[in-house]
Each structure stands twice: as C-alpha cells, then as structure tokens.
Amino acid sequence: MLYCCDLLGSVWHSPIIPLYLLAFFIAPVFLHPQCLDFKPPFKPQDDLQFCAMYRNFGCCDSAKDKELMAKFYKIMDNFDYYGYASCAGYVQDLLCQECSPYAAHLFDAEDPNTPIRTLPGLCPDYCSQFWLKCRSTITLLSDDPQLAEAEPDQGRFCQHLELEDPDYCYPHLLSNEQLTQNLGRVRADPEGCLQLCLEEIANGLRNPLAMVYANDGTHRFFIAEQVGLVWTYLPDRSKLEKPFLNITKAVLTSPWEGDERGFLGMTFHPNYKYNRKLYVYYSVEIGFDERIRISEFRVSPSDMNVVDHGSERIILEVDEPASNHNGGMVMFADDGYLYIFTGDGGMAGDPFGKYGNSQNKSALLGKVLRIDVDDNDRGPLYRIPSDNPFVHERGARPEVYAYGVRNMWRCSVDRGDPLTKEGKGRIFCGDVGQNKFEEIDIIEKGRNYGWRAKEGFSCYDKKLCTNSSLDDVLPIYAYPHKMGKSVTGGYVYRGCEYPNLNGMYIFGDFMSGRMMSLQENKNTGQWDYHEICMGMGLTCAFPGLINNYYQYIISFAEDEAGELYFMSTGVPSATSPTGVVYKLVDPSRRAPPRQCHYDPLPVRVKSKLIKFKPKERVELPTKRPNLSPQEEPVRSHPTESAVSESDKDWLQELMDILKEQEAAAVTTTLPPTTTTTKPPRHTRRKNRRKKGKHRLESGSASAAVPQNGVVRLAGDEQGRDDRGRVEIFANGEWGTVCDDLWNTKNAAVVCRQLGFRFALKASKHSEFGEGKSLRILLDDVQCEGTEESLLGCQHTGVGMHNCAHYEDAGVICGNSDYVDA
C-alpha cells in the first residue's frame, strides 16, 4: 500500500503538482475493482451456473459463464476420474477469476497497453499446492511459452505468477476486508465524500449552459453557448461544423466575467418528432430596456440539424429592471405544458414594490410560469392551462404556477425509478440565495417558496417572514455560503449505466465548484446529503476517465438515455472557449453488458463533421520543477488518472524535491481539489460601467505613509471627490474592497471618514472600474455603521478574500440626501 504522512503538508501546498498525482500521496491504492474489458464490475442479469461464486457481483454475464464452462469441460476431458477429482476445483478456480471483480488486477490488465496474463496472479501457498497436484493442467490452461518453460520448476513457475501488488493475489484477496468491504457500492473517502469519475464529452465551448436532446430516437445532443450559438453533436460525439441555431446578433450579453445575460435556456417540444418545434429563453435589448424573451422556432424542413431562423415567434417578453437575476430555465414537464422560470428582477433583496416582485402575483418576475403552447399555429401563441392555480384570483397573472422564487438556476423533471416509477414528474430546482443560503426546492402547484421573506430556512425580511399568511414551502435542502454561493440545480439520476446512482439528486455550486448529492430517506422523509469528490488514487484509472474538472459549474444535463452530465468552464465569460462537458461515471459498478444498449436512428448530415478530440490531459514536467512560492498555482482542470512507469519515476523525483522543500519550509497556497476548496469567486453578475482612472497614485515615493484604515476614492470618470471605488490602506499597502456583503452601513463608515454626512449609495460590481493594479484587501465586510474605519468592522481578514476585481466596491457620498446625476 502507498501512503504519505510526513510529506502531506508539503504536497498539499505545492503549486505545480497535477491533482491526480496528488491523490497518490494522500490515499492508499486499493478498492479499485476492474474487469478485463477495462470497465467496472456489475451484477449479472441472469444467474451464473459455473462461476456461481460471482453471481452477485463480478465481471461475467451468463454468456461468458457458459463460455468458461465449455472451456473447463474441454480441459477436463483429458483426465481420468482421479485427475478430475484432484484438479477440477483448481481449474474451475483459475478459469473463474476472469469473473472476479478484481479480474484486471489478477491478470495484470489495469493498463490496456500491457499484455494480459493468461493465468491469474496466485498467492505463493496456493500456487505451490496447484503446482504439486495439477501441474499437468498448465499447458491446457495457457499457451504462454514462458509459463510452459517455467512449468518444470515450482519456484520459477510460482514466481512468474506473483503479482507486483500481493494484496490482489488469489485466493487471499477474497479474505482481504479492505478489498471486499462495501464492494460494488459507491466508494466514499474517510470523510464520507462520494468518489466518482468523469468522461470528457465536448470541449472548447463558450460558457456552455444548456445541453438538451430532441427525444426523437437519434440520441443527438445540442449544446448551447451563452453568446447565442447552439451546436449539434452526434452519438459518437462528433460535432457538426454548421451551428444548429445562431442568434448571436439578437442575444444581449458581454465578455465581462459573470454577466448573467445571454442565451439562457432551450427545450424541444414533446412532440418535436412531428411538429419540429423548440423553445429558447434569452436576453434582448429593446431601445434602452432589457428584457427576457421566450421564442418558438421550427427546424428547417430541408435539414434536420439546422433551425429555420425565419420561423421565430416571440411567445413572451418580460421587462428586466436590472441586468442580473434573469432566471433562464425553460422546459416541458410530464403534463406537456411549458414551464418558464424567471428571476426576481435583479439588484439585491428584491426591492421592487412593497413586497418585491417574487411575492407579487401580478408580476411575472420571481415566478414559475406554466403555459400551453400546443396547437398555437392559429389563434393565441399560448393558452393558460385551466388548472393553473391563480386563474380565478383577482389581480394575479394566470400564467403563474408557483411564486416566491429568487433566481432559480437550473431545474429538472424526475423521470422516476426505472422499475417502480416512484418520484416520476417531480420538478427539482436550485434557487440562488442572497447573502447566506443556497437552496434546493421541489416545485408544487400554487405554492409560495418564501423569497424575499425567507432565504433558505432563515428569515430575510423579518416583517414578511412573520406574516401568518406567508404559508411558504421550505426547501428540501439549504447550505450556507461557506460551502458555496451560487447553486446550480441538477438532476435525479435515472440512467441505466450506473445503478448505484439511481434516485440520487446530483447538483453543484457555480462559485465554489463543489459537487453535491441528496438522497431521499424513505423512513424519515428527509434528504440525506453527501458531497461528491473526484476519485483518488486508482479509483478513476479506467481508460478515457479523468478525475477533475474546471471549477465553475454552469449547468447539468441528461441525454436521451437518461445518463447525467454537467458543464463547467475555467473562465466564466461568454467569450472564453474554456467550457467542457463531462459525463458522470460511477467507477464502482456498472450495468451488465448489453442491458443499456440502444440503436440510434440515423441522422442525415449535410454539414462537415468535426471529430471529437479530448483535450484534458496532464502534462508532466520534463525536468525538476521550480517550486518557487511565486509560481502561479495550478488551475483546477481535468487530468488523466492512469500513472505510467515514467510518471512513477517523476513521482519519486517529486518526493525528493518535496523533502527539500519541506526542509526549506517553502509554502504556497494550492487548493487540494476542485470540490473541496473556496476558489476565486466568479458570479453571474454584470459589470455595467467602464473602468475609471485613479485620481490618486498609489505607492508614490514622495507620499507620506498613511495610517492603517485610511480610505480614498478612485475611478470616477468626471473626477468628482464624493464618489468612487473604495481603496483602503492596510498593512503597508493600498488595496480594494470586495462587494459581496457591501451595503450602506459599510458605505457610511467610508463617507464619514472622508468628511461627508451621508452615504447615498453603496455601489457594487466595480461601478467605478476595477482596481487591478492593487490587491484586494477586504472581503465580506459587515459594519454596524458606527466604526471608525472598515478595519473595525467584521471581515475575513486583511488580504484574505475569494473574489475578483469585477466586484470592487464603491460609494457615493454627500451632505444632502439626494444623488447628483
């Protein structure tokens, strides 16, 4: 077994170690079941008659079992009664190890580039007994000339059958509790984090935020980019060169990291196979107004892989008072109606009207809408379902199905248990929180989901929260901002390939990169939480699998067969081609061969095909790396899991370097994995102003050293001294303040320091430009309003932050209670 103890601290902080190699230092190499086809084991559909010891879990189906039985009888036909009695058990044992869940280890086949043994690896004591009693069967069991040559010499023969890792030798592995305990279940690390793996499906995408299928039997999938492009992918993952849909000229978005506007959602009509209709949700600008638009398109009659762009019909438009909280989900549920999920209108705290948009049933913002778009070629573009809950309520919009939502980002319909159909039709949504909590909801007709009265389980607006008429539905799960700050809703897994995941709701967080799961406890009715980590050590050492991903989780998806995917990116900008689509894989168990087989209908292709090429590879240094603390930290990105001999040599060299590093007490700040860190934060926010200029030069040699806590304003384009980006002097340097919890109480402290009576505005989102020449010194500032400086307020610590300059905070101060234009 390979462990690392005394080097752990050094490895953890190294800035250049690929993450999959890091796993070798922190996890033992065990519990890696693998078959000879380089895939996980399975539970056979039919009972095994010959290799019955693996009937519950292993690597053989009934066809393979019969093949091994036939081989057994062919061998044993060469023996008389006494030979049969002495050797039949040994021959059966050796043949049936192809059915062992650890067959790849027994036959030294973990690496597909190395030759597979013809006999399994045997423990020395068992090998000696086999050789003494049944050495005459060796040439019948194997045609390996090396084994035949070694057969006369017991020591040489058994040495040839030894494994490099003796833990896996037969039959001792059967009594090894580390290898047999929880075999076939999803593996969890010591802290309970479930270990899954990934398969790269598509790459080079610009903020991929939707992946949908047409449900027409072709098993194509369509991936939408935020800029307004949708691409067609075939089942072999090749991409059509010509876009399926291109509305980039109409879509409103920008290159700013975190801009929430753009092409936000897409779905196909349930009867698409017959009416060729699809629906999209995107941002537009009409004059000086921003709106969300839901449109209907038809696919071209002459090309099944291209939308007829002239067929667009605008189904619905809603004015957006701000540029954030645009919602963006559009989908059909089991009732055949179109569901539209809108945000609350933006800004913070839903400040629109007395109760906010979300609690106002006469507004379409902050809602789940349900409309009927069937048979709309003549007459109205949509109708109201007769059982919509507020059809007869005076003042309420009849489209409203549920209300009190803040900014639901990604919803899904549960397909139901494959056998019992339990759970079928439930609608799960992730609702992005304000300052403290993110939540997962199950949507029910006519219900109130609490915003802005509540955030998660807690009160946000105390007056609304205590209103007895609120009658809100609590989330099934909520998590605090120390775990993540922007939930991305996922799916209940109902696919065929990975039975262990059935019923597991898998979702993530955009900002922390954390992958999470919920499983309903049938006894308590509660939802049990488990974090999902990428498999450590050899867990993901299967061909084509990787064990990490880009941290900004944008969206989840199902394919036509129900398998689960997610999309993430390295740079959350609508123009950055760093988006990747991943398929979730359970390395501990798969479905039996051929159980999940399907035959896609043919696709008539008129465009050039671009063959898929996986890009996510780890690149090992060719020479001793420089472990300077100034080295840029490794980005969290997918890596290959398998370790070659050259990699092992590199690891040994790396360990030597780490010892030197530890002796020199060199430390850096590398997050250990994507799913358990607090990486630099990137929100779906808009930067609405251009960068301003500094009016005060920082670091001037002639300037006197300021006192700790002194502030100045910078970045106003007109040079006014009553407004600007807040810059603070602390610990010998000037820096900026992050706007995550920035409010008027914080602004009041700054304005009073600068001699103004009022704080007229706490400006956010780098309204006065980004102070990129400075470090961010304060984050999560929370003031009472009476402190002498921001350093006296609560904050994460000087220099401690997880935000970026596009969130630089500012103020507008004054001596009267109005703001000059």
Side-chain angles (χ1 to χ4, degrees):
M1 301 299 177
L2 176 62
Y3 291 90
C4 178
C5 298
D6 52 350
L7 287 179
L8 182 59
S10 298
V11 175
W12 199 257
H13 293 290
S14 169
I16 51 79
I17 302 172
L19 295 180
Y20 85 95
L21 293 179
L22 179 64
F24 277 83
F25 292 98
I26 62 176
V29 181
F30 61 80
L31 269 183
H32 180 242
Q34 183 176 347
C35 300
L36 293 178
D37 60 359
F38 312 113
K39 294 179 181 179
F42 53 89
K43 178 178 174 57
Q45 283 183 283
D46 302 312
D47 267 354
L48 306 186
Q49 302 301 317
F50 180 63
C51 298
M53 67 286 284
Y54 297 119
R55 62 158 55 101
N56 292 322
F57 189 67
C59 293
C60 290
D61 58 9
S62 59
K64 182 66 176 178
D65 185 58
K66 291 174 183 176
E67 178 188 320
L68 293 172
M69 185 187 296
K71 186 174 182 180
F72 169 81
Y73 285 120
K74 184 176 180 181
I75 292 171
M76 298 315 298
D77 280 347
N78 294 280
F79 294 89
D80 59 15
Y81 171 81
Y82 295 102
Y84 194 101
S86 299
C87 297
Y90 284 105
V91 173
Q92 183 178 17
D93 283 349
L94 267 59
L95 289 175
C96 284
Q97 294 323 300
E98 289 190 40
C99 301
S100 166
Y102 289 105
H105 298 274
L106 285 164
F107 289 87
D108 237 0
E110 301 98 319
D111 184 349
N113 299 313
T114 60
I116 297 177
R117 291 170 178 252
T118 54
L119 289 182
L122 304 180
C123 303
D125 53 348
Y126 180 90
C127 181
S128 297
Q129 295 174 28
F130 166 66
W131 187 88
L132 288 170
K133 294 182 179 180
C134 300
R135 56 181 285 196
S136 56
T137 65
I138 293 172
T139 54
L140 299 173
L141 284 162
S142 170
D143 56 3
D144 183 350
Q146 290 183 319
L147 273 179
E149 186 180 341
E151 179 262 326
D153 185 331
Q154 175 187 335
R156 187 179 170 194
F157 173 76
C158 288
Q159 186 177 11
H160 191 79
L161 290 184
E162 282 185 17
L163 293 174
E164 186 176 339
D165 189 340
D167 287 331
Y168 288 106
C169 71
Y170 180 81
H172 292 179
L173 88 166
L174 299 178
S175 57
N176 187 328
E177 288 187 4
Q178 286 182 314
L179 297 177
T180 57
Q181 191 175 24
N182 296 323
L183 185 61
R185 300 181 183 178
V186 178
R187 183 182 170 191
D189 67 13
E191 296 180 354
C193 197
L194 304 179
Q195 298 198 18
L196 299 182
C197 304
L198 304 174
E199 188 177 352
E200 185 184 356
I201 301 300
N203 52 42
L205 293 157
R206 292 171 293 183
N207 266 18
L209 44 71
M211 172 180 162
V212 297
Y213 59 92
N215 202 29
D216 60 355
T218 64
H219 289 265
R220 293 173 294 168
F221 52 95
F222 303 84
I223 299 177
E225 296 178 318
Q226 188 177 350
V227 291
L229 281 167
V230 181
W231 303 97
T232 305
Y233 288 79
L234 300 184
D236 66 358
R237 298 172 191 172
S238 58
K239 171 185 173 182
L240 271 62
E241 185 178 52
K242 187 175 182 180
F244 178 69
L245 178 66
N246 182 354
I247 54 172
T248 52
K249 292 182 179 179
V251 169
L252 173 64
T253 189
S254 76
W256 289 100
E257 292 186 13
D259 192 339
E260 292 185 36
R261 304 163 304 170
F263 189 102
L264 301 176
M266 172 178 166
T267 189
F268 285 85
H269 194 283
N271 292 322
Y272 165 78
K273 193 172 182 179
Y274 306 102
N275 63 25
R276 306 193 321 278
K277 289 183 178 181
L278 62 142
Y279 298 83
V280 299
Y281 185 132
Y282 63 100
S283 305
V284 293
E285 190 169 37
I286 309 296
F288 294 103
D289 297 326
E290 294 184 9
R291 298 177 186 173
I292 53 175
R293 174 183 289 174
I294 290 84
S295 284
E296 176 188 275
F297 287 89
R298 288 180 185 264
V299 170
S300 168
S302 61
D303 189 342
M304 65 186 299
N305 297 305
V306 175
V307 166
D308 177 0
H309 290 73
S311 67
E312 181 176 12
R313 298 197 301 166
I314 299 171
I315 299 294
L316 183 66
E317 282 188 346
V318 183
D319 284 333
E320 270 286 340
S323 295
N324 57 343
H325 300 187
N326 297 291
M329 191 73 198
V330 57
M331 68 183 193
F332 286 90
D334 284 2
D335 55 18
Y337 296 128
L338 182 65
Y339 286 71
I340 301 163
F341 300 81
T342 63
D344 66 6
M347 291 196 258
D350 194 4
F352 307 102
K354 186 175 181 180
Y355 306 113
N357 281 325
S358 293
Q359 291 297 319
N360 179 5
K361 284 178 278 188
S362 66
L364 293 180
L365 294 171
K367 305 293 187 299
V368 179
L369 310 178
R370 182 173 77 152
I371 60 176
D372 182 356
V373 292
D374 283 348
D375 304 318
N376 66 347
D377 294 333
R378 296 177 182 174
L381 292 170
Y382 69 87
R383 296 177 175 83
I384 305 299
S386 60
D387 65 337
N388 267 15
F390 306 111
V391 169
H392 303 295
E393 183 173 317
R394 185 176 180 182
R397 289 292 297 257
E399 296 93 341
V400 175
Y401 183 78
Y403 64 105
V405 307
R406 183 176 180 272
N407 189 34
M408 286 186 161
W409 184 250
R410 294 311 180 233
C411 302
S412 62
V413 179
D414 185 357
R415 294 187 180 205
D417 184 273
L419 297 177
T420 67
K421 298 304 176 183
E422 184 177 358
K424 182 173 170 54
R426 293 180 299 183
I427 298 174
F428 289 77
C429 288
D431 200 2
V432 179
Q434 180 70 46
N435 295 328
K436 294 181 179 179
F437 297 101
E438 307 294 308
E439 67 182 68
I440 300 295
D441 297 299
I442 296 180
I443 303 302
E444 299 173 3
K445 182 170 68 174
R447 301 307 303 271
N448 179 5
Y449 288 84
W451 178 251
R452 74 182 185 202
K454 290 183 180 177
E455 179 187 11
F457 294 103
S458 70
C459 284
Y460 178 81
D461 184 320
K462 292 183 179 179
K463 290 183 180 179
L464 290 177
C465 186
T466 56
N467 189 328
S468 60
S469 65
L470 186 64
D471 190 28
D472 61 314
V473 179
L474 294 177
I476 63 168
Y477 182 73
Y479 62 92
H481 277 189
K482 66 181 180 181
M483 291 174 59
K485 297 186 179 181
S486 184
V487 66
T488 300
Y491 283 78
V492 178
Y493 180 83
R494 299 298 189 184
C496 171
E497 295 179 15
Y498 305 110
N500 283 338
L501 304 184
N502 181 39
M504 190 181 293
Y505 178 73
I506 296 176
F507 64 105
D509 189 276
F510 175 80
M511 294 164 74
S512 69
R514 194 182 295 263
M515 191 84 67
M516 298 168 274
S517 73
L518 298 174
Q519 187 97 35
E520 188 174 13
N521 186 320
K522 301 298 173 57
N523 296 323
T524 65
Q526 302 298 309
W527 291 79
D528 297 332
Y529 171 83
H530 289 283
E531 188 167 349
I532 293 174
C533 299
M534 295 297 99
M536 297 188 300
L538 290 175
T539 304
C540 298
F542 295 94
L545 298 192
I546 52 181
N547 68 345
N548 219 321
Y549 55 89
Y550 286 101
Q551 65 192 26
Y552 301 104
I553 301 173
I554 306 174
S555 192
F556 285 80
E558 281 181 323
D559 65 14
E560 193 165 343
E563 299 306 320
L564 190 56
Y565 303 76
F566 72 95
M567 289 143 272
S568 68
T569 186
V571 180
S573 162
T575 57
S576 174
T578 55
V580 181
V581 180
Y582 306 96
K583 181 180 181 180
L584 282 158
V585 173
D586 175 14
S588 59
R589 179 186 172 192
R590 59 169 158 151
R594 293 174 291 280
Q595 178 178 311
C596 304
H597 176 76
Y598 56 85
D599 293 310
L601 294 177
V603 178
R604 298 186 300 276
V605 174
K606 297 187 176 182
S607 171
K608 180 182 176 182
L609 288 177
I610 302 171
K611 189 175 180 181
F612 171 63
K613 294 181 180 178
K615 291 183 178 179
E616 305 312 315
R617 297 282 188 269
V618 62
E619 294 182 4
L620 294 175
T622 56
K623 59 181 181 179
R624 172 172 288 193
N626 176 16
L627 294 184
S628 164
Q630 287 76 38
E631 194 79 56
E632 182 180 354
V634 170
R635 63 181 174 84
S636 295
H637 73 296
T639 59
E640 289 231 6
S641 307
V643 178
S644 65
E645 288 301 320
S646 61
D647 294 350
K648 293 176 183 177
D649 295 339
W650 186 89
L651 278 169
Q652 184 58 54
E653 183 180 12
L654 183 58
M655 291 177 71
D656 296 337
I657 297 168
L658 290 170
K659 289 179 181 178
E660 296 174 10
Q661 177 181 340
E662 189 176 52
V666 178
T667 60
T668 59
T669 55
L670 172 70
T673 69
T674 297
T675 57
T676 57
T677 63
K678 188 182 182 187
R681 182 165 65 247
H682 295 273
T683 65
R684 301 183 181 94
R685 297 177 181 169
K686 177 192 175 190
N687 295 300
R688 304 196 66 176
R689 304 295 179 94
K690 296 180 180 178
K691 298 177 185 177
K693 297 181 179 179
H694 287 282
R695 295 196 305 276
L696 300 174
E697 293 295 328
S698 60
S700 171
S702 60
V705 177
Q707 292 183 346
N708 255 10
V710 168
V711 291
R712 66 188 184 190
L713 303 182
D716 181 51
E717 294 179 341
Q718 299 179 33
R720 291 169 287 191
D721 61 1
D722 64 344
R723 65 196 67 195
R725 179 177 60 252
V726 175
E727 296 180 352
I728 187 168
F729 190 85
N731 294 354
E733 65 177 315
W734 284 100
T736 64
V737 182
C738 201
D739 72 15
D740 187 51
L741 298 178
W742 193 246
N743 58 34
T744 53
K745 288 183 179 180
N746 302 343
V749 173
V750 173
C751 292
R752 191 172 58 253
Q753 274 185 273
L754 296 172
F756 294 95
R757 293 174 59 196
F758 299 105
L760 304 178
K761 183 179 181 183
S763 69
K764 298 186 177 185
H765 313 162
S766 64
E767 179 179 341
F768 295 100
E770 300 180 20
K772 287 187 175 180
S773 62
L774 306 175
R775 278 208 311 150
I776 298 170
L777 293 185
L778 292 182
D779 186 15
D780 290 345
V781 179
Q782 298 180 71
C783 300
E784 294 297 327
T786 58
E787 294 86 347
E788 292 184 2
S789 81
L790 296 180
L791 296 182
C793 306
Q794 292 184 36
H795 53 79
T796 56
V798 175
M800 302 291 292
H801 71 89
N802 64 352
C803 53
H805 278 296
Y806 59 75
E807 293 179 282
D808 280 344
V811 296
I812 298 178
C813 306
N815 290 314
S816 59
D817 57 359
Y818 65 91
V819 181
D820 293 333

